[in-house]
Amino acid sequence: MTGLTSIRRVLVANRGEIAVRVIRACHDLGIEAVAVYSEADAQAMHVREADAAVAIGPAPAKASYLRVEAIIEAALEAGCQAVHPGYGFLAENADLPRACVAAGLTFIGPDADVMTAVGDKVEARQMAEEASVPTVPGSGRLATPAEATEFAEQVGYPVMLKAAAGGGGRGIRRVDDSATLEAAFVAASREAEAAFGDGGIFVEKCIVDPRHVEVQVLADTHGNVVHLGERECSLQRRRQKLVEESPAPGLPEEVRDQLWAAATRLAAHVGYTGAGTVEFLVDSATLDFYFIEVNARIQVEHGVSELVTGIDLIAEQIRVADGQPLSFGQEDITFRGCAIEFRVNAENPRQNFFPSPGQVELLKLPGGPGVRTDTGLDSGDTIQPFYDSMIAKALVLGRTREEALARARRALAEFEVTGVHTTLELQRSILDWKLFTRAEFHTGSLDDFIVEWVARGDH
Amino acid sequence: MSDDLSVQAPFPGVFYRKPDPESPEFVQVGDDVQADTVVGLIEVMKMFQEITAGVAGKIVSFEVENEGAVSAGQVLLVVR
């Protein structure tokens, strides 16, 4: 193992399963990990597993895990050289890398300016275009319905009308034909004016029933950029991913090659460093793909890429932050088999996924060949109401997708949680769902399946 | 004190007195509320749920501050 030169102690600025995951990577690298915790998490697994722990404030995340100055203070107080943000909380807030640099700490992630640039939708799209990465065809700011009609005729219906100053879904309208465009434009403009004080509208081609496919990239500070293949993440409930897998089933080699090349081209163009994800929408019918956004962090579903490549992404993030060149090139990365992840959440899928915090009486994780579980809980631990609902991620690896599916059935049958409601029963049912086993799904499929599943009731 | 009615948190989470940081509070001490008056939000695992008074009367006091952590059954405010 390559020793680290400057990092001997890492502050893990997160909680739950990802904090535990980062602590494990630190220990694998022979370095120490320091946890931070809110008042609600004093007994949490990430605190138990760390070499030291620092209290950072009251239970609400705003008063603890989201406070940049509390994180910096904790890192300095505990004698850390580096800070790992995990995902969520401050992971994509450029104030954290800036504050780290100002305090003489190494931030384990991309440069603050790169993070800011890729985090801005307009700027990210522009950089994608510069790097010849396809983006969803869109107009500039339009003043009249006539201009919108002209653009829509060019790219073809349906189109989306979006507020130029937009955000949060407000001012977004789908238009299926020219007959309804004018009225929709006027309404969208009025809504945008009311919501943002700016009635500016732009038009985007609507990708019907797309798949969500993302590419994992890894880049060092010496100009080397590699990818670790793609992940299929179309199985989402209201934009929350529930099942992810790698490779993306049914994508032809040449499409995968193009996706990989586009993602690494963009990462190189923006000067990305560390682990990042480039997200795309893939048109199910034509297999044309379009850039959506860059996620400048480690992602929840990173484990499926680790299983198929054998590379520890968190350890690589730390090595890159330490200034080391990647110890492998693209040709050294090989993909074996199929990995699938199931997110088991403390929610009641029969009550519209209402959160179910509380004490986990029993947590029996699956094991055996080809099974990995990442969790931040043990039997007897409490799932706090203040943070996300994740109980565990169950990952399986098989030589083929069929073998992975068989392992998943076995693993989810072994998996037991009592004391709180969970999504386990739904996840088991997904494994019997034909559209899933045949991989004939898009980003809207799971919402439809859940409606059917709830209507079917217990069985 | 026997006339006091309490409005309790139906589930644990973080209590908000405003719909968003820029807006005024849903209700103030001294306001009259009906059973269906929204008195705050509770955020549980990133989900925001409106909390209604459930009783009618005049608000006497808030027992939890804005953005304070609450447990299930905890008294949020007192109505008389």
Side-chain angles (χ1 to χ4, degrees):
Chain A
M1 196 194 314
T2 326
L4 296 178
T5 53
S6 65
I7 301 175
R8 295 174 309 282
R9 220 169 196 227
V10 170
L11 186 95
V12 184
N14 215 297
R15 65 176 304 283
E17 70 88 17
I18 192 61
V20 173
R21 170 74 189 85
V22 174
I23 291 165
R24 285 177 170 152
C26 289
H27 289 166
D28 282 349
L29 290 170
I31 58 179
E32 291 185 327
V34 178
V36 292
Y37 63 96
S38 71
E39 284 166 14
D41 278 340
Q43 313 295 324
M45 183 191 272
H46 73 283
V47 174
R48 302 196 295 264
E49 297 299 320
D51 300 288
V54 183
I56 52 166
K62 236 188 197 173
S64 47
Y65 298 106
L66 287 171
R67 284 177 55 219
V68 172
E69 67 283 4
I71 299 298
I72 299 293
E73 217 172 282
L76 295 174
E77 180 193 317
C80 296
Q81 294 81 38
V83 175
H84 194 300
Y87 55 69
F89 295 129
L90 295 169
E92 286 175 282
N93 181 337
D95 290 343
L96 182 60
R98 285 201 186 95
C100 282
V101 170
L105 294 161
T106 298
F107 177 72
I108 301 172
D111 177 79
D113 292 338
V114 173
M115 186 188 278
T116 305
V118 299
D120 180 299
K121 275 186 194 166
V122 177
E123 209 170 327
R125 184 188 161 99
Q126 195 183 326
M127 291 187 296
E129 283 164 6
E130 287 163 12
S132 305
V133 173
T135 55
V136 178
S139 70
R141 193 188 167 91
L142 302 177
T144 64
E147 288 173 3
T149 305
E150 192 188 328
F151 182 82
E153 303 286 333
Q154 269 173 40
V155 298
Y157 289 93
V159 295
M160 303 296 281
L161 305 185
K162 296 188 175 182
R170 285 184 294 186
I172 296 184
R173 270 190 165 64
R174 176 175 156 157
V175 178
D176 290 312
D177 51 56
S178 58
T180 52
L181 193 138
E182 179 163 350
F185 188 95
V186 172
S189 182
R190 195 190 313 124
E191 207 175 304
E193 175 71 44
F196 312 109
D198 174 0
I201 294 292
F202 66 96
V203 183
E204 242 177 47
K205 181 176 171 64
C206 175
I207 314 301
V208 182
D209 296 341
R211 286 170 64 176
H212 174 122
V213 180
E214 58 188 31
V215 178
Q216 176 69 55
V217 297
L218 185 60
D220 64 20
T221 52
H222 304 270
N224 303 303
V225 183
V226 297
H227 70 80
L228 278 75
E230 79 286 357
R231 293 185 288 260
E232 159 66 59
C233 305
S234 300
L235 293 186
Q236 309 177 359
R237 174 187 170 266
R238 298 187 184 167
R239 292 165 182 261
Q240 288 290 348
K241 297 167 186 167
L242 269 180
V243 180
E244 303 100 336
E245 60 184 287
S246 185
L251 271 197
E253 276 311 308
E254 65 270 22
V255 177
R256 299 174 69 206
D257 279 340
Q258 288 167 20
L259 276 167
W260 298 342
T264 49
R265 213 157 55 227
L266 181 56
H269 178 67
V270 304
Y272 197 85
T273 51
T277 299
V278 185
E279 294 190 335
F280 297 94
L281 287 180
V282 179
D283 188 315
S284 315
T286 63
L287 298 182
D288 288 334
F289 61 84
Y290 306 93
F291 165 76
I292 328 174
E293 63 180 20
V294 174
N295 294 322
R297 59 167 193 276
I298 194 72
Q299 282 188 279
V300 176
E301 61 271 27
H302 71 277
V304 293
S305 302
E306 294 184 322
L307 285 179
V308 293
T309 61
I311 291 169
D312 180 335
L313 276 163
I314 310 268
E316 293 306 326
Q317 284 186 298
I318 298 171
R319 289 197 184 98
V320 166
D322 193 49
Q324 299 181 26
L326 294 177
S327 63
F328 45 81
Q330 189 66 61
E331 65 284 0
D332 302 314
I333 301 174
T334 52
F335 303 97
R336 51 158 201 165
C338 166
I340 313 177
E341 170 179 281
F342 298 84
R343 299 193 193 186
V344 178
N345 296 329
E347 296 166 2
N348 184 351
R350 297 202 178 277
Q351 272 189 17
N352 205 20
F353 293 79
F354 197 82
S356 182
Q359 190 183 30
V360 176
E361 289 156 13
L362 172 77
L363 179 65
K364 181 174 163 273
L365 299 173
V371 176
R372 162 177 160 182
T373 50
D374 284 10
T375 183
L377 294 165
D378 254 336
S379 295
D381 283 350
T382 296
I383 301 172
Q384 299 295 339
F386 312 107
Y387 317 113
D388 69 41
S389 59
M390 172 99 62
I391 295 174
K393 304 180 297 197
L395 299 96
V396 293
L397 175 67
R399 286 169 299 178
T400 60
R401 190 165 189 267
E402 289 61 41
E403 191 174 77
L405 289 172
R407 283 213 162 116
R409 283 190 193 94
R410 191 261 297 167
L412 294 188
E414 287 177 15
F415 205 143
E416 216 180 318
V417 183
T418 61
V420 294
H421 290 285
T422 78
T423 52
L424 255 175
E425 187 199 352
L426 171 67
Q427 298 282 31
R428 292 185 193 117
S429 299
I430 288 173
L431 281 163
D432 295 326
W433 175 33
K434 292 263 179 321
L435 293 187
F436 175 59
T437 55
R438 293 179 190 152
E440 293 169 0
F441 48 75
H442 54 78
T443 52
S445 303
L446 186 60
D447 282 326
D448 296 341
F449 174 74
I450 289 169
V451 171
E452 277 170 42
W453 180 81
V454 170
R456 225 191 293 157
D458 293 300
H459 56 278
Chain B
M1 296 299 278
S2 56
D3 293 339
D4 288 355
L5 301 165
S6 63
V7 180
Q8 298 171 1
F11 41 80
V14 178
F15 181 62
Y16 294 87
R17 287 192 54 192
K18 306 169 176 187
D20 56 75
E22 280 78 45
S23 300
E25 280 104 1
F26 288 103
V27 286
Q28 311 271 3
V29 169
D31 285 0
D32 286 316
V33 296
Q34 300 300 316
D36 60 356
T37 304
V38 175
V39 296
L41 302 172
I42 291 183
E43 178 190 9
V44 52
M45 292 172 164
K46 299 179 178 178
M47 203 177 93
F48 290 84
Q49 193 89 351
E50 286 186 343
I51 305 301
T52 49
V55 293
K58 192 185 281 291
I59 299 176
V60 178
S61 63
F62 276 87
E63 300 299 311
V64 176
E65 58 188 297
N66 185 41
E67 298 188 16
V70 296
S71 49
Q74 187 173 339
V75 176
L76 301 172
L77 54 140
V78 178
V79 172
R80 188 175 295 163

